[in-house]
């Protein structure tokens, strides 16, 4: 799908993406929609994409266990969800979503290996590299 970016992982807990409410919330520029909201659903292991102007749910997509936060690329094309995991089983994956289609789609899951509980994440300028922290 042409999606490639470098992932830099830290082993400290650091809040690099501030969200105004519990569960990750972010705005993006999806073509044709204004005021798009991305909300993680920790208990359902999903990400919901909402059009705020119409109140319409655009898509509800599967994620890894207990999705926690969302980072959106500067160009509004990509969303990356950190899958924190439930209390007894730490998560170690990121879900990558392509926001460009009329109905957004999950394009891949990135396994972070030994790095558990991904939390804060942010795209760096140029959208070819991303920083992710883990606990």
């Amino acid at each position: 799908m042409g999606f490639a970016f470098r992932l830099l992982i830290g082993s400290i807990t650091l809040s690099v993406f501030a969200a105004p409410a519990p569960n990750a919330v972010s705005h993006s520029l999806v073509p044709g929609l204004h005021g798009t909201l991305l909300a993680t659903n920790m208990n359902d292991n999903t990400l919901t994409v909402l059009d705020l102007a119409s109140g319409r749910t655009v898509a509800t997509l599967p994620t890894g266990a207990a999705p926690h936060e969302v980072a959106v690329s500067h160009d509004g094309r990509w969303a990356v969800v950190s899958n924190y995991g439930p209390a007894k089983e730490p998560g170690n994956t990121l879900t990558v979503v392509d926001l460009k289609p009329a109905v957004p789609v999950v394009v891949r899951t990135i396994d972070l290996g030994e790095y558990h509980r991904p939390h804060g994440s942010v795209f760096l300028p140029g959208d070819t590299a991303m920083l992710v922290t883990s606990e």
Side-chain angles (χ1 to χ4, degrees):
M1 295 213 84
F3 176 78
F5 64 87
R6 291 174 293 141
L7 186 65
L8 307 171
I9 304 171
S11 59
I12 59 170
T13 300
L14 174 66
S15 179
V16 294
F17 179 75
N23 291 345
V25 176
S26 180
H27 299 277
S28 77
L29 302 174
V30 177
L33 297 179
H34 300 285
T36 302
L37 179 76
L38 305 178
T40 59
N41 307 302
M42 291 181 71
N43 293 331
D44 293 335
N45 303 324
T46 59
L47 172 74
T48 299
V49 181
L50 300 157
D51 176 12
L52 295 178
S54 68
R56 181 175 66 97
T57 297
V58 177
T60 298
L61 304 169
T63 65
H68 205 264
E69 295 179 348
V70 181
V72 177
S73 61
H74 296 92
D75 64 5
R77 167 105 194 239
W78 305 105
V80 176
V81 178
S82 58
N83 301 312
Y84 191 78
K88 294 181 180 181
E89 188 176 332
N92 69 334
T93 63
L94 302 172
T95 301
V96 181
V97 177
D98 186 348
L99 297 171
K100 189 174 182 180
V103 177
V105 294
V106 172
V107 293
R108 71 186 281 198
T109 299
I110 298 172
D111 187 327
L112 300 176
E114 67 182 281
Y115 298 99
H116 297 270
R117 301 258 191 234
H119 208 281
S121 59
V122 65
F123 280 89
L124 297 177
D127 296 331
T128 60
M130 168 176 253
L131 297 175
V132 177
T133 61
S134 67
E135 291 184 6

